[in-house]
């Protein structure tokens, strides 16, 4: 059955594996997606939502490059919100509440409709490695399947151990067994491994909740969407979420179970996600807080199952139940299943190249939680990059790497490869030094041309993006060149408590004022006439407003990025001998030897490498 050699084998069918398989197959490679349960492809193991702060930017970037996450997020959405609208556009972050069952189904159907992609259900128990190069995989059924490249996206399944109170059992997810064999083999090959932890809250029966006692959390009045393609449409109806709170009573009831908590009795040794702590961790770390928010999120359009966001826990099920029944609106709650924690193996990502290929084994790529990240979006973006680079390697083409000033995906990969992580890594806008350039509204302008060159973005989508860019730039130029009289503009300035002008001036300067919005400037007859004449849609109008209002910040960041890229162009030879740099600190030599940075810029971002160490490196390179 498997006598042919695949170009790419993807191990694992989660968010990383799904994007990796789609990318490799769409680039023309014969691809096999092999996973333990084909019914659970792209399963939302934790919360039924996509996007959020910085994560929404990543989903937009995946879509702009030709990945599937944005499209599936749109087709399975039950609510849309643009977060941080009160802040500047660099902080705006799209988020959807998803229908969990429809999300997985839509992913499965999109993958089944992808040419060059085969599927097989089995557990991969090992790799076939010859002369430091991967040549295939072994399965628990004893099959050997040959491939030119392999992408491992094992999620939480590598030696996964589930904890509920003082009970624990092997598993990669509730109701699914753990994967064994791969970690042990990779360690034998010389890889360093570690353990991490994550958790999930109880799922409850929505029919047992009293929503009248909770705060309603509706979606946006005018919902947008994730994908830049015209395949999907914004929602025309939405489901509400709700919010309740814990209380001192709830906290006291939870504390009663601390002696049986695996987090506090030493049974869990590994590190959990800092920015998504369990409820017991929250009331322990923030002991002075009298309450914590609980977001009550429906799991889909028609199901009664509800996800209690903010109540992640590994406490005994009786403690979970007793405490949750003391939350307002949950007095009669019935559980579908209790929350739990899960420990799993990961491999410190400093062992990877920027392509996500391992340094020790050629043709072997890691993506997702195996690299120490947390979150569907972070996993999906790594899967996309690993799938692309596996395909490019097979095709003997130049590798594909995104820089920090080009995408949040570039920041994510560079952070992992250069700095590593000892706790589950989550993306935030604060991690990107060029976040004014990396906005959610311009991901298509930044990345769709690259996706087109890779063969992942259609010519139709590229032309749509180019049309948007051309129309927005022309509208910006209209503001730069068009004047407005003081008689026409002063009434608008007065209405917005903005300083009046005593002579005519360019519209650009007026519009750039912080308290003048597009809806104000459209009261100028020539502006509205331009919009109507050129049939400008909401997306182009919004893009123009951002370009006008933030032009100074954008230009400044572009200049800073250009300076950084000059260092990015200074390549370090792959065989460079750092031991001869005696005037460099021992720590810096050790870190550089371990990470093997590709460029001077990357070397400068390594923790423990000082500016003086970089100067020494430049001198030895003859610069």
């Amino acid at each position: 059955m498997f006598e042919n050699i695949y170009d790419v084998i993807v191990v694992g069918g989660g968010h990383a594996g799904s994007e990796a398989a789609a990318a490799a197959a769409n680039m023309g490679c014969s691809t096999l997606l092999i996973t333990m349960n084909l019914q659970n492809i792209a399963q939302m193991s934790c919360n039924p939502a996509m996007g959020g702060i910085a994560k929404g930017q990543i989903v937009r970037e995946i879509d702009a490059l030709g990945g599937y996450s944005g499209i599936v997020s749109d087709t399975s959405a039950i609510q849309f919100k643009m977060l941080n609208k009160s802040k500047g556009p660099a902080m705006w972050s799209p988020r959807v509440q998803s229908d969990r069952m429809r999300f997985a189904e839509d992913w499965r159907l999109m993958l089944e409709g992808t040419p060059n992609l085969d599927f097989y259900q089995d557990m991969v128990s090992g790799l076939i490695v010859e002369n430091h190069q991967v040549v295939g995989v072994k399965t628990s059924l004893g099959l050997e399947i040959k491939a030119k490249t392999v992408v491992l996206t094992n999620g939480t399944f590598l030696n996964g151990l589930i904890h509920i109170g003082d009970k624990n059992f092997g598993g990669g997810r509730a109701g699914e067994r753990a994967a064994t064999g791969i970690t042990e083999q990779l360690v034998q090959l010389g890889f360093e491994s570690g353990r991490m932890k994550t958790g999930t809250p109880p799922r409850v029966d929505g029919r047992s909740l009293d929503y009248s006692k909770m705060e309603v959390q509706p979606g946006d009045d005018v919902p947008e969407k994730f994908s830049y393609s015209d395949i999907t449409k914004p929602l025309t109806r939405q489901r509400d979420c709700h919010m309740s709170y814990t209380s001192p009573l709830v906290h006291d009831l939870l504390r009663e179970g601390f002696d049986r908590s695996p987090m506090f009795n030493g049974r869990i040794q590994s590190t959990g996600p800092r920015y998504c702590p369990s409820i017991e961790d929250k009331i322990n770390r923030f002991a002075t807080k009298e309450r914590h928010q609980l977001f009550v999120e429906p799991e889909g359009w028609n199901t009664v199952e509800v996800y209690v966001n903010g109540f992640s826990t590994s406490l005994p099920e009786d403690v979970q139940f007793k405490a949750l029944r003391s939350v307002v609106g949950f007095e009669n709650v019935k559980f579908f299943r209790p929350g739990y924690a899960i420990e799993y193996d990961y491999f410190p990502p400093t062992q990877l190249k920027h392509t996500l290929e391992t340094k020790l084994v050629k043709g072997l790529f890691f993506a997702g939680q195996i690299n120490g990240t947390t979150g569907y979006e972070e996993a999906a973006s790594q899967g996309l990059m690993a799938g692309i680079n596996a395909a490019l390697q097979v095709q003997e083409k130049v590798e594909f790497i995104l820089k920090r000033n080009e995408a949040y995906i570039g920041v994510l990969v560079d952070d992992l490869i250069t700095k590593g992580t000892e706790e589950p890594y989550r993306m935030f806008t604060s991690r990107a030094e060029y976040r004014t350039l990396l906005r959610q509204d311009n991901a298509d302008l930044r990345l769709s041309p690259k996706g087109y060159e890779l063969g992942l973005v259609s010519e139709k989508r590229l032309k749509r993006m180019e049309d948007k860019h051309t129309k927005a730039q022309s509208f910006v130029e209209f503001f730069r060149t068009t004047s407005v009289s003081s008689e026409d503009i002063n009434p608008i300035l007065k209405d917005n408590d903005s300083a009046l002008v005593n002579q005519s001036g360019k519209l650009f300067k007026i519009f750039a004022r912080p308290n003048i919005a597009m809806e104000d400037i459209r009261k100028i007859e020539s502006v509205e006439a331009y919009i109507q004449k050129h049939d400008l849609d909401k997306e182009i109008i919004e893009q123009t407003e951002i370009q006008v209002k933030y032009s100074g910040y954008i230009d400044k960041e572009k200049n800073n990025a250009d300076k950084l890229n000059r260092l990015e162009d200074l390549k370090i030879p792959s065989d460079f001998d750092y031991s001869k740099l005696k005037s460099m600190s021992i720590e810096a030599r050790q870190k550089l030897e371990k990470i093997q940075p590709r460029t001077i810029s990357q070397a400068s971002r390594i923790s423990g490498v000082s500016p003086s160490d970089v100067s020494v490196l430049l001198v030895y390179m003859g610069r």
Side-chain angles (χ1 to χ4, degrees):
M1 184 167 62
F2 293 117
E3 58 186 27
N4 294 328
I5 299 175
Y6 280 97
D7 291 328
V8 182
I9 288 179
V10 177
V11 180
H15 297 259
S18 297
E19 285 288 6
N26 282 325
M27 289 173 69
C29 289
S30 60
T31 306
L32 174 67
L33 175 61
I34 182 166
T35 186
M36 290 165 64
N37 189 344
L38 286 172
Q39 306 309 311
N40 291 334
I41 281 179
Q43 182 75 258
M44 295 180 125
S45 306
C46 199
N47 64 322
M50 286 292 282
I53 307 300
K55 293 167 175 280
Q57 282 86 329
I58 289 176
V59 176
R60 281 266 163 99
E61 290 177 352
I62 292 170
D63 181 76
L65 284 167
Y68 287 172
S69 288
I71 292 171
V72 176
S73 295
D74 286 344
T75 59
S76 60
I78 63 174
Q79 186 192 89
F80 182 95
K81 272 190 176 182
M82 185 67 76
L83 307 179
N84 279 342
K85 280 292 279 189
S86 61
K87 300 180 180 178
M91 307 297 286
W92 297 353
S93 302
R95 182 184 190 269
V96 294
Q97 200 67 31
S98 303
D99 185 310
R100 186 189 297 277
M101 290 184 283
R102 186 176 290 185
F103 185 92
E105 179 187 29
D106 288 356
W107 249 114
R108 168 78 178 251
L109 294 175
M110 286 196 74
L111 288 173
E112 287 185 5
T114 302
N116 308 313
L117 180 57
D118 293 342
F119 303 85
Y120 193 65
Q121 181 170 297
D122 198 352
M123 184 181 85
V124 171
S125 56
L127 304 168
I128 308 171
V129 179
E130 297 174 1
N131 300 318
H132 303 290
Q133 178 159 353
V134 71
V135 294
V137 300
K138 300 174 184 175
T139 78
S140 61
L141 291 177
L143 296 173
E144 291 195 356
I145 310 173
K146 296 297 181 71
K148 297 172 186 174
T149 58
V150 173
V151 183
L152 291 185
T153 69
N154 304 80
T156 59
F157 281 76
L158 291 179
N159 293 320
L161 184 65
I162 291 173
H163 296 269
I164 302 176
D166 42 21
K167 307 181 186 79
N168 61 58
F169 47 90
R173 188 162 49 206
E176 297 180 65
R177 62 181 174 145
T180 56
I182 292 177
T183 298
E184 293 74 15
Q185 183 188 5
L186 289 174
V187 170
Q188 285 180 351
L189 288 167
F191 285 89
E192 175 192 347
S193 74
R195 295 283 277 177
M196 280 189 177
K197 173 195 85 96
T198 190
T200 193
R203 311 299 199 269
V204 304
D205 189 334
R207 295 169 299 183
S208 65
L209 304 181
D210 187 346
Y211 292 107
S212 67
K213 296 180 178 179
M214 306 179 198
E215 297 175 17
V216 180
Q217 301 284 303
D220 287 349
D221 291 337
V222 184
E224 298 178 42
K225 63 191 188 83
F226 266 116
S227 181
Y228 292 100
S229 72
D230 54 7
I231 298 172
T232 64
K233 303 294 181 192
L235 289 169
T236 54
R237 66 185 180 102
Q238 303 185 70
R239 278 205 70 176
D240 288 338
C241 294
H242 290 79
M243 188 162 67
S244 191
Y245 298 88
T246 62
S247 65
L249 172 60
V250 174
H251 298 177
D252 289 342
L253 291 170
L254 289 167
R255 287 190 187 97
E256 288 178 11
F258 277 14
D259 60 325
R260 297 158 62 202
S261 165
M263 236 187 71
F264 296 121
N265 63 19
R267 197 171 281 114
I268 292 178
Q269 297 285 337
S270 47
T271 309
R274 177 188 299 267
Y275 301 103
C276 188
S278 64
I279 188 66
E280 56 264 40
D281 195 19
K282 279 193 275 194
I283 64 175
N284 186 53
R285 280 166 52 191
F286 308 109
T288 57
K289 284 199 77 169
E290 292 194 346
R291 67 177 193 171
H292 295 281
Q293 292 175 330
L294 298 179
F295 292 96
V296 185
E297 301 175 340
E299 296 259 336
W301 284 114
N302 302 313
T303 181
V304 297
E305 189 173 356
V306 168
Y307 179 88
V308 190
N309 195 341
F311 206 85
S312 177
T313 181
S314 58
L315 286 165
E317 62 271 33
D318 59 313
V319 176
Q320 296 183 34
F321 181 69
K322 191 176 177 182
L324 202 52
R325 277 215 158 182
S326 297
V327 172
V328 172
F330 284 76
E331 293 84 358
N332 299 303
V333 69
K334 294 179 180 178
F335 274 29
F336 271 25
R337 74 165 195 235
Y340 63 86
I342 181 165
E343 289 186 287
Y344 55 93
D345 293 336
Y346 86 105
F347 292 84
T350 51
Q351 300 171 99
L352 304 176
K353 302 174 184 177
H354 271 80
T355 56
L356 298 182
E357 183 185 21
T358 66
K359 295 172 183 174
L360 286 175
V361 178
K362 183 174 172 58
L364 178 62
F365 296 78
F366 291 173
Q369 283 175 287
I370 192 172
N371 291 336
T373 60
T374 179
Y376 309 143
E377 303 82 3
E378 290 88 344
S381 66
Q382 292 171 71
L384 178 69
M385 296 300 286
I388 288 170
N389 279 303
L392 291 172
Q393 186 174 116
V394 168
Q395 295 164 350
E396 298 182 349
K397 294 180 180 177
V398 179
E399 62 193 16
F400 180 66
I401 295 170
L402 291 168
K403 296 175 183 176
R404 295 181 72 90
N405 65 304
E406 291 179 318
Y408 272 92
I409 298 173
V411 175
L412 168 69
V413 173
D414 186 65
D415 276 355
L416 292 174
I417 305 320
T418 304
K419 301 172 184 175
T421 185
E422 294 178 355
E423 61 183 47
Y425 178 102
R426 176 183 173 175
M427 179 53 72
F428 286 103
T429 50
S430 57
R431 295 191 191 274
E433 57 271 53
Y434 304 114
R435 56 185 174 273
T436 305
L437 302 180
L438 310 182
R439 306 182 310 276
Q440 57 82 32
D441 62 88
N442 70 351
D444 57 338
L445 304 180
R446 290 184 277 120
L447 300 176
S448 286
K450 298 178 186 293
Y452 177 73
E453 288 173 15
L454 291 165
L456 294 175
V457 170
S458 68
E459 188 171 354
K460 178 185 175 185
R461 274 192 69 173
L462 184 71
K463 285 184 175 177
R464 191 167 179 267
M465 179 280 295
E466 289 172 341
D467 182 58
K468 168 186 168 181
H469 177 65
T470 301
K471 286 184 174 180
Q473 290 306 111
S474 297
F475 200 17
V476 170
E477 193 58 28
F478 165 81
F479 281 106
R480 289 189 188 280
T481 56
T482 304
S483 297
V484 61
S485 67
S486 56
E487 291 82 7
D488 287 340
I489 195 62
N490 275 337
I492 296 170
L493 297 178
K494 185 178 180 181
D495 288 344
N496 289 278
D497 295 323
S498 190
L500 304 184
V501 296
N502 52 21
Q503 60 185 26
S504 296
K506 298 298 183 196
L507 273 171
F508 190 97
K509 193 173 180 180
I510 298 294
F511 193 16
R513 294 187 181 190
N515 49 350
I516 302 298
M518 177 61 83
E519 61 189 44
D520 301 312
I521 212 77
R522 286 182 73 164
K523 294 172 184 174
I524 303 294
E525 191 175 319
S526 59
V527 175
E528 188 60 29
Y530 186 97
I531 291 171
Q532 299 304 324
K533 179 182 176 183
H534 295 88
D535 192 26
L536 303 186
D537 61 22
K538 179 178 180 291
E539 203 174 330
I540 292 166
I541 293 169
E542 183 180 86
Q543 184 66 217
T544 303
E545 183 169 13
I546 292 168
Q547 291 290 338
V548 171
K549 288 193 164 298
Y550 294 89
S551 58
Y553 299 103
I554 292 169
D555 291 343
K556 185 179 179 181
E557 282 204 354
K558 280 181 179 174
N559 290 334
N560 289 338
D562 289 342
K563 291 175 186 175
L564 178 79
N565 285 339
R566 287 197 283 274
L567 288 179
E568 205 72 62
D569 292 336
L570 293 179
K571 300 284 192 292
I572 301 173
S574 57
D575 58 352
F576 194 88
D577 182 8
Y578 294 100
S579 64
K580 67 186 179 185
L581 305 184
K582 302 300 181 186
S583 50
M584 183 181 283
S585 71
I586 293 173
E587 181 188 4
R589 289 206 301 269
Q590 290 174 341
K591 293 278 182 71
L592 290 165
E593 193 67 50
K594 179 181 179 182
I595 294 172
Q596 292 288 317
R598 297 170 64 254
T599 67
I600 291 292
S601 179
Q602 186 195 349
S604 71
R605 294 191 293 273
I606 296 172
S607 174
V609 177
S610 69
S612 61
D613 294 325
V614 174
S615 298
V616 171
L617 186 55
L618 284 167
V619 169
Y620 271 86
M621 286 177 61
R623 302 301 294 245

